Amino acid sequence: LVAGVGLCDVEAVRALVTEGPDRVRELVALGAHFDLDDGGGLKLTREGGHHRDRIAHAGGDATGAEISRALIAALQRVVDDPGIEVVEHALVVDLLTADDGAVCGVTLHVIGEGQVDGVGAAYARAVVLATGGLGQIYTSTTNPPVATGDGTAAALRAGARVTDLEFVQFHPTVLFLGEGSTGQQPLISEAVRGEGAVLVDDRGERIMAGRHELGDLAPRDVVARGILDVMGERGLDHVFLDARHLGAAFVQERFPSIVARCRELGFDPATDLLPVAPAQHYASGGVETDLRGRTSVDGLYACGEASCTGVHGANRLASNSLLEGLVFAHRIADDVTARLDAGDLPRRTPPEPGDAVADLLDAGRRIDLQRTMTRGCGPLRTAASTAAAEEELAALAALPPSAAEPGPQAWETTNLLHVGQALAHLAHRREETRGGHVRRDFPERDDARWLVHQSVTRGAGGVLHVAESPVAEALGARA
C-alpha cells in the first residue's frame, strides 16, 4: 500500500496477501522447486520497499524461469486431453466481439513452426488476456522482444477500459551498455541490493545515503529518482552498483544467471563496479479488472502485467508481479468455471470476417515510436514532453497505411502505437509526481486533485475517452 502511493485497491491487496501462500504451495505441488533453507522451508530474501525477508526464489536468481518450467511441464502432462487444444507459436491479432459487445473469440496468426499459416479465428465463450507488458514501447527495457502491449492494444480496440496506464515502473539497476543500446537490457535484480550491494556515483559516494530510511532498498521509484538526480547533477549517463564486498563465492552461488550474463558482456560483479541506469521495467496499469479478473467487456478477462487489478497502484512493490499472476489467475479460473456451469457465458455469433487491424503502422517506424515515448513519457516528464509525444504519435498514426505489409512486425508495431497513444494522453493529463515518474513541472504529489484513477477507452477513429474515479470508488469497487 505504501509503494503504491495511495492508489492501491485495499481489497485487491488483501486478496493478494491472504491467498498468496496457498497459491505458492499449489505451485510447489505442481513441481516448482524453490530454494530451501537448512530446515526444508522456503529460503526468503528481501527486495526494495520490503522491511523483512519475504521473497521466495528459485535457482538463486532464476525464479521466473523455474515457474515457467513447472507450469509448462504441468501443461505437457495434460496436452493429450481431448478437451484441451494447445496452439503454439501464435500471435493473437485482435479480439472478436459479438453484436452485443461481448467477446466471442480472437483472430490469430500462427507463425513459423506452427501448423497453420495465415490469420485464422478461434471462437470462445471467454477469453483470458495474459499477454504481459509493453516494454518495447521504450528504447531501453528489461522486457523481452515480445512485450509489445498486444493484449492491452487488442482490449482497447474491443472497447475495454484500460486504467492507470501512465504509471510505468523504471527499474533503477539495469546494466548500462553504452549510448545507443536499444531493446532488452540485462536486469541487475533488486535482490543484489537486498544482499548488501550499494549504489555509488563516479566518486564512489553512496547515492541513497540520507535519501530514504531504507537506503538502497527504498521502493524502486525512489531509487530510480535518486539515480536520475545524481546523473543530472554530475552530468553522467550511468552510475555504479558495487557488489564487490559480497565476495566472489557468495555472488556466484546466489546470482549465477546475473554473473554469467555480466561476464558475457565483459563485467564481473565480484571484481568490477557495474555500470547501471534506470530503464523501463513494468506496467503498473493495464486492462481494468474486478477481483474476479473480469474486464468491462463481457466474457473478457485479464491477468498478470496486462491487467490492472488494483494491487500495484502507482508503483508495483518488488516481486509482486509473479504473486499477482498466481492469485488472480486462480480467481479467473474459478470464475470462468462457475459461469460456464451456470450458463452465464453463452456462445455468441462471431462477426463477419474483416481486416483485423485496418490501419497498420509500418514496422520500420518502430524506432521512431520508441524514441518518442522515451523522450516524452520516460521517468522524467513535463507538459511539453508529453504533449510532444502525443503530437508525434498522432503523426505516425496519420501515415498512409498502404506502406505497411500485414504481418507480426507490423501488428506488434501498431499495438505499440495504440498503447503509446493512450499512455501519453494519460501521462499528459496527470499533473503531479507520483509512483514511477517525475513531472518536473509538478514535482510534488497532489492528493487533493489526483488521488484518482484515470481510465481510457478507445472509440471510433482512435478517439480516446478518459474517465476519472476516486480511489474509493475506482474500478467498479472490485466486487
Side-chain angles (χ1 to χ4, degrees):
L1 295 175
V2 172
V5 203
L7 292 187
C8 297
D9 181 272
V10 174
E11 291 307 311
V13 175
R14 181 173 287 114
L16 182 87
V17 301
T18 57
E19 297 173 19
D22 284 343
R23 302 292 82 82
V24 173
R25 293 185 188 102
E26 290 169 356
L27 195 59
V28 171
L30 273 176
H33 301 296
F34 289 95
D35 296 338
L36 304 178
D37 59 26
D38 294 339
L42 289 177
K43 185 182 290 186
L44 302 178
T45 189
R46 190 177 310 196
E47 294 186 4
H50 294 270
H51 288 74
R52 70 165 95 174
D53 296 346
R54 60 164 64 93
I55 312 300
H57 50 87
D61 57 357
T63 311
E66 172 56 20
I67 291 175
S68 295
R69 183 207 63 75
L71 292 177
I72 291 170
L75 177 62
Q76 292 300 323
R77 292 196 290 270
V78 297
V79 74
D80 293 330
D81 188 312
I84 296 173
E85 182 177 3
V86 178
V87 181
E88 296 187 87
H89 310 290
L91 171 67
V92 167
V93 181
D94 249 327
L95 295 166
L96 294 172
T97 53
D99 290 341
D100 63 357
V103 74
C104 58
V106 300
T107 56
L108 75 164
H109 175 78
V110 184
I111 311 163
E113 299 176 41
Q115 298 179 346
V116 181
D117 187 22
V119 176
Y123 302 128
R125 286 184 277 179
V127 172
V128 182
L129 295 174
T131 51
L134 47 78
Q136 294 299 323
I137 209 168
Y138 292 95
T139 55
S140 181
T141 177
T142 64
N143 290 188
V146 295
T148 48
D150 303 325
T152 305
L156 276 168
R157 291 191 292 269
R161 284 196 303 273
V162 172
T163 298
D164 290 348
L165 203 59
E166 71 269 35
F167 294 117
V168 179
Q169 184 176 92
F170 296 86
H171 199 287
T173 53
V174 176
L175 197 64
F176 181 75
L177 299 181
E179 184 66 33
S181 180
T182 61
Q184 185 178 12
Q185 309 289 298
L187 172 68
I188 309 299
S189 170
E190 210 153 42
V192 179
R193 282 177 284 130
E195 298 291 357
V198 296
L199 288 159
V200 297
D201 63 16
D202 57 325
R203 301 165 298 186
E205 294 185 4
R206 294 278 297 271
I207 288 172
M208 293 306 297
R211 290 181 183 268
H212 191 277
E213 62 175 358
L214 292 177
D216 288 270
L217 277 179
R220 288 174 180 172
D221 59 318
V222 177
V223 179
R225 202 168 301 166
I227 292 173
L228 291 167
D229 286 346
V230 169
M231 286 167 57
E233 292 165 3
R234 303 214 26 95
L236 306 173
D237 53 13
H238 66 277
V239 295
F240 297 96
L241 185 67
D242 189 357
R244 296 173 298 178
H245 56 285
L246 300 181
F250 176 81
V251 171
Q252 177 64 51
E253 178 184 359
R254 178 66 180 84
F255 304 108
S257 301
I258 291 173
V259 170
R261 183 64 176 138
C262 286
R263 286 175 177 166
E264 285 176 13
L265 297 165
F267 305 99
D268 189 337
T271 58
D272 300 329
L273 289 170
L274 299 179
V276 294
Q280 193 280 340
H281 182 57
Y282 192 85
S284 294
V287 185
E288 178 187 309
T289 73
D290 64 13
L291 286 177
R292 297 166 293 187
R294 299 184 188 185
T295 75
S296 61
V297 172
D298 191 22
L300 179 65
Y301 293 79
C303 67
E305 193 172 354
S307 71
C308 181
T309 63
V311 163
H312 306 310
N315 187 42
R316 175 175 66 83
L317 180 65
S319 207
N320 272 351
S321 50
L322 293 173
L323 188 62
E324 182 197 39
L326 283 175
V327 169
F328 288 90
H330 190 279
R331 283 174 160 251
I332 288 172
D334 284 348
D335 193 61
V336 170
T337 302
R339 292 181 71 187
L340 287 171
D341 289 345
D344 190 33
L345 288 169
R347 299 184 188 276
R348 290 179 166 88
T349 303
E352 291 297 318
D355 293 333
V357 181
D359 297 331
L360 294 176
L361 179 62
D362 187 270
R365 307 309 296 263
R366 183 182 296 197
I367 188 62
D368 298 330
L369 184 153
Q370 292 171 326
R371 287 169 177 160
T372 289
M373 291 301 296
T374 300
R375 284 192 306 267
C377 301
L380 302 177
R381 305 172 182 175
T382 64
S385 76
T386 52
E390 286 197 90
E391 291 175 8
E392 292 168 24
L393 294 176
L396 289 174
L399 290 172
S402 57
E405 188 70 27
Q409 292 295 316
W411 291 324
E412 289 179 340
T413 303
T414 303
N415 288 338
L416 290 174
L417 172 63
H418 292 169
V419 174
Q421 287 179 301
L423 195 161
H425 190 57
L426 297 184
H428 183 69
R429 293 185 81 257
R430 184 171 285 274
E431 296 178 330
E432 67 160 355
T433 290
R434 186 186 296 270
H437 68 267
V438 173
R439 272 292 293 261
R440 284 174 161 160
D441 44 351
F442 295 95
E444 305 299 328
R445 58 184 274 195
D446 180 2
D447 287 354
R449 166 66 182 90
W450 284 108
L451 202 59
V452 299
H453 298 275
Q454 293 188 108
S455 299
V456 62
T457 53
R458 191 174 190 271
V463 176
L464 299 176
H465 305 280
V466 178
E468 294 180 8
S469 53
V471 171
E473 302 170 13
L475 309 178
R478 291 202 162 94

